[in-house]
Amino acid sequence: MSDRSQLIETGQPFNFDAQRDAEFERLIKRYPSRESMILPALWLVQEQEGWISAEAMAYVADRIGTFASKVYEVATFYTMYHLQPKGKYHICVCRTLSCYLLGKQEIVDYIIEHLDVRPGEVRADGLYSFEEVECLGHCGSAPVVQINGEFYENMTVEKLEELLATLQ
């Protein structure tokens, strides 16, 4: 699993665009505790930027009225939040028991060797990023791979190879 403790600072202040700002204002009225808004606010940041910078976390903390450390705790815990820019195709491989027992390591080894990208990295050309993640919730059809939010079950190296050929 990649190191999720390192935040990237852009040196640029973050603000929601008009669409996300309106959505934030609409959503925050639905939450009796403002801290409950951390998850959807981070999602809005990611929707806007594609990833979440240190400045965006500080912005979310300020908008919600909480400590930046609380936003950091949430953002670093959930692998659905991207803490660095991603490749055009972001590949997630589930690393939990069912996937491990049914061959996830062969898939991981294939990605590292054939796509030249290691867990937590973005390939130099920006085409692929790769991350091993905790449970993707498809234990009955393991191993599972997620690419840009789409799930691919009962994955094998051969199936992954065919799938990747369609992405270029």
Side-chain angles (χ1 to χ4, degrees):
M1 185 162 185
S2 61
D3 179 6
R4 296 184 54 79
S5 65
Q6 299 297 315
L7 297 181
I8 297 175
E9 293 183 21
T10 64
Q12 301 295 315
F14 176 84
N15 290 296
F16 283 135
D17 60 21
Q19 178 185 351
R20 272 68 177 204
D21 189 61
E23 183 64 6
F24 179 89
E25 291 301 323
R26 185 186 76 77
L27 289 172
I28 201 158
K29 295 172 187 162
R30 298 171 52 187
Y31 291 88
S33 165
R34 292 180 68 91
E35 287 186 353
S36 301
M37 188 63 192
I38 293 173
L39 288 167
L42 288 172
W43 194 255
L44 289 171
V45 170
Q46 188 165 286
E47 187 179 78
Q48 179 177 313
E49 300 295 314
W51 66 289
I52 302 168
S53 66
E55 290 86 354
M57 285 190 209
Y59 174 81
V60 166
D62 187 54
R63 288 289 301 264
I64 291 174
T66 190
F67 298 104
S69 60
K70 289 195 174 196
V71 176
Y72 171 84
E73 289 172 350
V74 172
T76 56
F77 180 79
Y78 292 104
T79 57
M80 67 186 189
Y81 294 120
H82 305 308
L83 304 181
Q84 62 179 346
K86 297 297 167 199
K88 179 178 179 183
Y89 299 108
H90 182 62
I91 303 169
C92 297
V93 176
C94 180
R95 59 179 243 136
T96 49
L97 186 59
S98 296
C99 290
Y100 183 83
L101 291 174
L102 294 170
K104 78 93 182 164
Q105 192 58 45
E106 292 174 20
I107 294 166
V108 168
D109 293 343
Y110 175 86
I111 292 169
I112 292 170
E113 184 175 333
H114 290 87
L115 299 183
D116 193 27
V117 60
R118 304 190 67 76
E121 294 180 351
V122 179
R123 195 164 85 173
D125 65 0
L127 187 59
Y128 298 108
S129 53
F130 169 45
E131 191 170 13
E132 287 187 76
V133 298
E134 293 304 323
C135 188
L136 287 174
H138 290 256
C139 298
S141 55
V144 66
V145 171
Q146 184 185 45
I147 301 176
N148 291 353
E150 294 289 324
F151 287 93
Y152 301 93
E153 302 169 309
N154 301 308
M155 186 55 70
T156 63
V157 168
E158 294 77 21
K159 287 181 180 178
L160 181 61
E161 199 171 19
E162 291 173 17
L163 177 62
L164 292 173
T166 68
L167 298 179
Q168 303 287 328

